[in-house]
DNA sequence: CACCTGTCTATACAACTGTATATATGTGTG
DNA sequence: CACACATATATACAGTTGTATAGACAGGTG
């Protein structure tokens, strides 16, 4: 867990506080190294230490492993993404607009914090078990949150869904897959991909509604 | 060493064997190294050479790069997958059954030739540009082929589709994303994921048909 | 036969990796 | 002040990496 992440440095006299390197700084250094050709799992401990301006061995004071760093990065990325989507959800309350604004928020994030997204999108299937499990957990969280939204909104709209769990899973996996693909593409292509996502999500929603009429909730 | 495994050693003349190492052997060696924790992009040249039973430098006689090897692996995997799916398509000619049998074929492949699939599913977003482009090309091929099927079948069934290009893209990306996720999971989970895929594809098909009624072909 | 030519190997090198060990340096407590 | 302590560092080591260079051996051609 992010044990020391929130500790406020002010007012703390009891223990010694050094203005030295922080977990945060190491995470930032690792982020700075990411790019279209550099994945988290391709970073070396020494490389990160170098970017953070510390000796290789100092790394061990903050993380046991590169793997532990990777998991921390994933959790951070998940948190960041979660906040963005939550904002989008709060702004929109009707079924079509919540989808639109969520995807727009997602694509905006893709413009800006590419690094965070890359961690979740592009590397969920390589790396250690802990690594994969952390990504999976983030995705599952999104699925559950989306499912709640879907059920609430479809009930309000009187357009119930067949297997809303699978609708949310399909949307999540598809958006992440398409997003990972769009990550480092030129802006106009990204916009095109965003538009495609919208249609695909509509397919899923309409399909689920239709199947509800044919077969019930499932 | 394992390199000579397939050649019959009996009757061997005192002279060195004519049958020397092949691109094929190197590809096989690379495949043998893949696994849940070893991705293509994490293999080293020396490692592959070692597994192939050749000197590191001999590698260069067959590939310029590890990157070139990776592309060769991707193409081979694409070819293999393509054949499997083609068989499935030939066996089934009606709309629902072609989906079912294609996904079943896909999941069967996932039981067997995991290595091939991993190359396409799990690593399309990491690696060099050539690497990514090769994966993208394979995916695009599948999309196009699937789209032709969808148009033909939906016309026959008198159930035309809205944006069949996006239907096939959505199906392809989703199946690959879900497949990559299922790759090294236990058999019962994999079966469950296969069942989920079927429902998701039905969502997409039904949704596209519904949207056609509302908005036409798009 | 001698002579290329293509393929393999052996050796070598500089760069890099993760980490074990020992050392320096500043901080808080007795 | 002296001490212990947490933190940073420097040095070192054994292993790996990609690849440059040079030599060994075969087959085909003159």
């Amino acid at each position: 867990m992010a044990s020391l992440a929130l500790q406020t440095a002010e007012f703390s006299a009891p223990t010694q506080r050094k203005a030295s390197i922080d977990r945060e700084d190491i995470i930032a250094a690792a982020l700075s190294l990411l790019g279209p050709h550099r994945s988290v799992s391709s970073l070396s401990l020494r490389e990160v230490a170098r970017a953070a301006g510390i000796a290789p061995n100092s790394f061990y004071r903050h993380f046991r492993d590169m793997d532990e760093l990777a998991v921390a990065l994933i959790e951070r990325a998940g948190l960041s993404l979660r906040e963005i989507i939550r904002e989008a959800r709060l702004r929109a309350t009707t079924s079509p607009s919540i989808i639109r604004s969520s995807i727009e928020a997602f694509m905006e994030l893709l413009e800006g914090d590419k690094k965070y997204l890359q961690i979740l999108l592009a590397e969920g299937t390589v790396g250690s078990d802990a690594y994969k499990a952390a990504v999976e957990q983030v995705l599952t969280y999104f699925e559950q949150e989306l499912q709640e939204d879907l059920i609430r909104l479809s009930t309000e709209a009187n357009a119930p869904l067949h297997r809303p769990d699978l609708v949310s899973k399909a949307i999540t996996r598809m958006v992440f897959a398409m997003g990972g693909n769009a990550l480092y593409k030129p802006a106009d292509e990204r916009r095109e991909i965003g538009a495609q996502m919208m249609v695909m999500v509509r397919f899923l929603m309409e399909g689920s509604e239709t199947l509800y009429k044919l077969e019930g909730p499932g």
Side-chain angles (χ1 to χ4, degrees), chain A residues 109-123:
Chain A
L109 195 61
L110 207 142
E111 301 277 337
D113 300 316
K114 281 199 218 307
K115 306 294 183 66
Y116 271 160
L117 272 185
Q118 174 183 346
I119 296 169
L120 291 174
L121 305 185
E123 325 194 65

Side-chain angles (χ1 to χ4, degrees), chain A residues 200-213:
Chain A
M200 292 173 179
V201 172
R202 285 193 69 202
F203 285 159
L204 290 167
M205 298 289 295
E206 293 284 349
S208 175
E209 290 177 18
T210 301
L211 282 182
Y212 183 92
K213 290 171 192 154

Side-chain angles (χ1 to χ4, degrees), chain A residues 184-199:
Chain A
Y184 290 104
K185 296 235 170 112
D188 54 335
E189 268 187 68
R190 277 203 307 268
R191 231 173 301 117
E192 168 68 12
I193 290 178
Q196 293 181 347
M197 278 189 204
M198 303 259 192
V199 178

Side-chain angles (χ1 to χ4, degrees), chain A residues 126-191:
Chain A
V126 214
S128 70
D129 288 340
Y131 197 122
K132 289 191 232 181
V135 173
E136 193 61 22
Q137 191 183 327
V138 171
L139 286 186
T140 304
Y141 176 92
F142 273 97
E143 280 170 30
Q144 286 171 348
E145 195 145 276
L146 177 57
Q147 183 182 353
E148 286 168 21
D149 269 2
L150 290 178
I151 291 177
R152 181 170 48 81
L153 291 170
S154 67
T155 304
E156 286 174 8
N158 231 11
L161 298 174
H162 178 80
R163 293 297 302 270
D165 58 327
L166 292 185
V167 179
S168 86
K169 184 167 188 173
I171 291 179
T172 304
R173 305 289 162 156
M174 212 178 56
V175 166
F176 273 65
M178 296 281 289
N181 194 249
L183 250 188
Y184 290 104
K185 296 235 170 112
D188 54 335
E189 268 187 68
R190 277 203 307 268
R191 231 173 301 117

Side-chain angles (χ1 to χ4, degrees), chain A residues 23-42:
Chain A
R23 274 176 76 105
E24 213 62 29
D25 301 297
I26 296 183
I27 288 180
L31 274 174
S32 77
L33 292 171
L34 296 183
H37 301 299
R38 305 289 283 130
S39 68
V40 174
S41 50
S42 82

